[in-house]
Amino acid sequence: MVRGVEPVEVKSRQPWVVGVSGASGTPYAAAVLRGLLAAGESVDLVVSRASRLTLLDETGIAFRDAYWREDLREWLARGADGKPGTFRVDVDAVRHWAAGDLAAGPSSGSYPVKGMLIVPASTACVAGVALGLSKDLLQRAASVTLKERRKLVVAVRETPLNGQTLKHLVTLDEAGAVVLPASPAFYAGATHIQDLVDFVAGRVLDAAGVPHQLYRRWEGELGGSRTD
């Protein structure tokens, strides 16, 4: 009996996994998500249990699994100053996975993704990924990203950093992750809190190789961003 070779069906969707942990800084996550969608990228979103409390505290939005599209749309429409309706965003390219769903697509290395961005990354999240704990889908997806040698960007948001966290960050760096502190710069001529948030989001997208126009890049001219 001769077996035929079945043609391979190529699926076009290859998303970025975006993990949102419980650190303060949900506007950073929103800016990264908007940047990815504006660039035509698909997104698989994982919002941790702790980050839902932070999101509720920072925006007043209760992120619910059953109504995630509505909640996500409301979240991404807000500016960093909390003003509703600042942005208009289409979330059709987003797929949401519950943080407790360890059978989700991103929990397997055979699930096709471009890489993963953790924004913001709490010190607890950093420790869990560095130690390979995989206690929830966010940590499991990050571990999978590392083992498959895909791009992992960890936007840690904490200050000051203790020695143990620094060791965990070194571990992630040695494993191939990009450790990117959520540290805004001022040379881009920021005049609004959104500008500072967009700078960090832009640096995250730079590390992922995703094109954007979120901030003014340095061009070697001192004072070039000033308008006075």
Side-chain angles (χ1 to χ4, degrees), residues 28 156-157 159 180-190 192-203 215:
Y28 292 131
V156 60
R157 216 307 305 162
T159 189
L180 195 152
S183 177
F186 296 86
Y187 63 76
H192 190 276
I193 186 175
Q194 188 66 56
D195 298 326
L196 298 175
V197 168
D198 284 347
F199 179 88
V200 171
R203 295 299 288 151
Y215 68 89

Side-chain angles (χ1 to χ4, degrees), residues 32-171:
V32 166
L33 287 166
R34 287 192 297 265
L36 288 170
L37 296 174
E41 300 285 349
S42 297
V43 174
D44 275 21
L45 178 63
V46 182
V47 181
S48 76
R49 292 178 60 186
S51 69
R52 297 175 192 226
L53 296 176
T54 306
L55 182 63
L56 180 62
D57 181 57
E58 294 183 347
T59 69
I61 297 172
F63 194 89
R64 302 160 295 176
D65 288 335
Y67 303 97
W68 70 267
R69 287 187 180 276
E70 293 88 340
D71 297 337
L72 178 63
R73 191 175 291 111
E74 181 183 359
W75 176 23
L76 298 190
R78 289 178 182 257
D81 58 2
K83 182 179 179 181
T86 301
F87 299 97
R88 300 182 69 177
V89 183
D90 184 349
V91 300
D92 287 346
V94 180
R95 183 174 185 177
H96 168 256
W97 299 96
D101 185 5
L102 290 177
S107 68
S108 172
S110 66
Y111 183 77
V113 302
K114 292 183 177 179
M116 183 173 184
L117 316 174
I118 306 179
V119 188
S122 67
T123 55
C125 173
V126 166
V129 177
L131 297 173
L133 298 183
S134 296
K135 74 169 188 176
D136 60 9
L137 179 59
L138 194 160
Q139 291 184 14
R140 171 59 185 169
S143 294
V144 168
T145 302
L146 288 175
K147 81 180 182 68
E148 297 295 327
R149 301 298 190 266
R150 296 167 180 157
K151 178 75 72 175
L152 175 63
V153 182
V154 180
V156 60
R157 216 307 305 162
E158 183 63 271
T159 189
L161 297 172
N162 64 31
Q164 200 61 48
T165 298
L166 290 170
K167 291 176 183 177
H168 291 152
L169 292 173
V170 169
T171 296

